[in-house]
Amino acid sequence: MNIILIGFMGSGKSSVARKLAQKLNYKNQETDESVLIRSGRKSITELFKLDGEIVFREMELTIAKKMSGEKNAVISTGGGMVINKLCIDYFKQNGIVVYLQTSFEEIVKRLAGDETRPLFKDKLVAHTLFKFRKHLYEEYADITIKTDKLSVDEITNSVIEKI
Ligand code: S3P
């Protein structure tokens, strides 16, 4: 089985995935990293700018399909992975989905000054995405962890306890 982390931008998926993989002796995979390699672009910002979001989402689906065939991997997904149910269907064939639930206020604090996320540039747009996606994360989660008051270590331990 794989462990798939879902949640909004800034919810701590990458840091928790790294720690979790270390503790469980699993592989650590990042969908964004694989999409980027596949695209040949330098950054997600460049990919959005030059190819557009639709191309990015198509690549996410390809990567989700491929990664879902992994064994014993902790997979950190991009925050928008849930907008395509097919991606989640692939992951669920062979994995348990963990939702890192973080409030929008906390995310705004954590991402202050961040320049790497094209969909977090405009706070109003980001908040609309957050409200829309919240229900999707909830629907697809096998396990939910509230992360606002927890450190990366605490979240990691909590995932291990619950799986
Ligand atoms: C996105 C989240 C990003 C990245 C891209 C789009 C989104 O990943 O995939 O910028 O649509 O929420 P993180 O959740 O790791 O920031």
Side-chain angles (χ1 to χ4, degrees):
M1 289 290 270
N2 297 318
I3 300 172
I4 294 96
L5 301 186
I6 63 168
F8 204 67
M9 296 173 257
S11 59
K13 292 164 293 188
S14 303
S15 316
V16 172
R18 259 195 305 276
K19 226 342 89 49
L20 203 52
Q22 224 174 43
K23 287 203 170 180
L24 297 173
N25 203 19
Y26 274 28
K27 277 173 277 184
N28 179 18
Q29 309 254 305
E30 287 255 354
T31 60
D32 273 354
E33 213 173 278
S34 298
V35 166
L36 209 51
I37 292 169
R38 192 179 173 83
S39 71
R41 299 300 184 195
K42 285 202 229 60
S43 65
I44 298 284
T45 304
E46 187 185 89
L47 172 52
F48 266 65
K49 206 161 145 191
L50 299 182
D51 304 311
E53 184 174 350
I54 293 174
V55 169
F56 174 79
R57 299 296 173 200
E58 282 171 351
M59 286 185 186
E60 270 193 323
L61 176 61
T62 307
I63 294 300
K65 183 176 179 183
K66 198 159 157 230
M67 269 189 192
S68 62
E70 288 285 347
K71 285 192 182 69
N72 296 343
V74 182
I75 300 169
S76 169
T77 62
M81 192 64 88
V82 289
I83 65 176
N84 187 349
K85 184 176 177 292
L86 278 181
C87 295
I88 303 297
D89 288 344
Y90 277 124
F91 283 131
K92 277 194 180 264
Q93 282 179 341
N94 178 35
I96 181 155
V97 173
V98 178
Y99 168 30
L100 302 188
Q101 186 186 63
T102 311
S103 69
F104 192 70
E105 295 67 36
E106 177 65 22
I107 285 167
V108 168
K109 274 191 235 159
R110 290 187 196 171
L111 295 187
D114 181 273
E115 295 290 331
T116 65
R117 292 170 171 91
L119 298 180
F120 206 81
K121 279 209 179 106
D122 181 326
K123 298 284 167 303
L124 268 178
V125 171
H127 195 216
T128 305
L129 286 180
F130 178 88
K131 284 187 284 187
F132 170 71
R133 291 180 183 171
K134 193 174 178 294
H135 307 287
L136 298 175
Y137 299 130
E138 285 165 4
E139 183 183 336
Y140 299 139
D142 297 308
I143 291 171
T144 299
I145 317 262
K146 287 190 168 46
T147 76
D148 276 17
K149 297 192 177 73
L150 300 183
S151 66
V152 170
D153 268 323
E154 288 168 329
I155 300 165
T156 307
N157 292 337
S158 178
V159 176
I160 292 171
E161 265 168 39
K162 291 188 178 188
I163 51 176

